[in-house]
């Protein structure tokens, strides 16, 4: 854990919301604006390393992020994933997908298919709607 | 939905568990033995199209599948993902990952890195443990 990049606090410029157990961070992916990550504060590897109540809390936050991105960005699809092969500290990717993005209909981890349409995202609006809809704990 | 491949019943040979709301199916991926899919029966696209109670139920099933795969296969990591760009019918991939598999540490949707170590999986044991640990509803 000594050099785990998710065991250090998030860059404040990218932090979208923080609770006592997890945080939401802007992934700042130029191919996929609006791509958010939900990061569990404590260093655990797997979803099933969490107690059921913590697991439910984390997944409720993931669901809220999905709902916020749908409302603000109207994506053609949302992708939700927890991989952690490279950084085994529990985190979830929540990715708004559009038919004209760089990878659609493939996963964002597949080779790019095209440059991808330019799309601007109002990060302040995401932050604001998250703060209104997520619990404080 | 007329030609949605997940709106038809699963191949009985691949069905691992079925409840009233969702099912668990063997993905039969030769690169990733033990790769399971959790498929919501009804045709909806996104996790947040479900009512909160259904969402919690689905994610509890996903968590149980992860727990069963960890117990039986001792993977180096588990990957959990709901993409649906190609088949927008809500389903979750639960993928046991090993350092010597064809794609590690990349996502299984990235190009293969190597042939991948051969590994046999006792599908009957997965089916049996799922039936013991999942609810009947």
């Amino acid at each position: 854990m000594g050099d785990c990049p998710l065991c250090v606090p998030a860059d404040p410029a990218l932090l979208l919301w923080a609770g006592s157990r997890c945080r939401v961070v802007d992934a700042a992916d130029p191919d996929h604006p609006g791509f958010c990550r939900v990061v569990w504060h404590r260093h655990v590897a797997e979803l099933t390393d969490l107690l059921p109540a913590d697991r439910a809390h984390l997944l409720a936050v993931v669901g809220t992020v999905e709902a916020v991105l749908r409302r603000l960005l109207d994506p053609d699809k949302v992708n939700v994933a927890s991989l952690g092969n490279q950084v085994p500290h529990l985190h979830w990717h929540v990715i708004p997908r559009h038919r004209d993005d760089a990878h659609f209909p493939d996963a964002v981890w597949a080779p790019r298919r095209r440059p991808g349409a330019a799309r601007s995202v109002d990060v302040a609006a995401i932050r604001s709607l998250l703060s209104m809809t997520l619990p404080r704990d």
Side-chain angles (χ1 to χ4, degrees), chain A residues 30-87:
Chain A
D31 274 344
H32 301 283
F35 182 159
C36 293
R37 287 201 184 94
V38 183
V39 181
W40 193 250
H41 291 328
R42 192 161 51 86
H43 189 94
V44 298
E46 305 286 6
L47 181 64
T48 48
D49 288 332
L50 298 183
L51 293 169
D54 283 340
R55 204 189 297 179
H57 174 76
L58 172 59
L59 293 169
V61 172
V62 168
T64 300
V65 173
E66 177 182 299
V68 165
L69 295 179
R70 290 182 75 183
R71 169 133 175 219
L72 293 176
L73 307 181
D74 194 28
D76 294 312
K77 192 69 194 64
V78 180
N79 295 170
V80 180
S82 180
L83 308 181
N85 305 321
Q86 317 227 16
V87 179

Side-chain angles (χ1 to χ4, degrees), chain A residues 32 79 97 101-114:
Chain A
H32 301 283
N79 295 170
R97 301 298 309 275
D101 75 30
H103 300 89
F104 202 89
D106 296 327
V108 303
W109 301 281
R112 295 159 123 248
R113 283 181 177 249
R114 62 187 78 84

Side-chain angles (χ1 to χ4, degrees), chain A residues 1-19 22-25 39-42 89:
Chain A
M1 304 186 211
D3 53 1
C4 172
L6 296 181
C7 279
V8 296
D11 178 343
L14 299 178
L15 186 66
L16 300 176
W17 175 84
C22 61
R23 58 190 181 267
V24 183
V25 179
V39 181
W40 193 250
H41 291 328
R42 192 161 51 86
H89 175 135

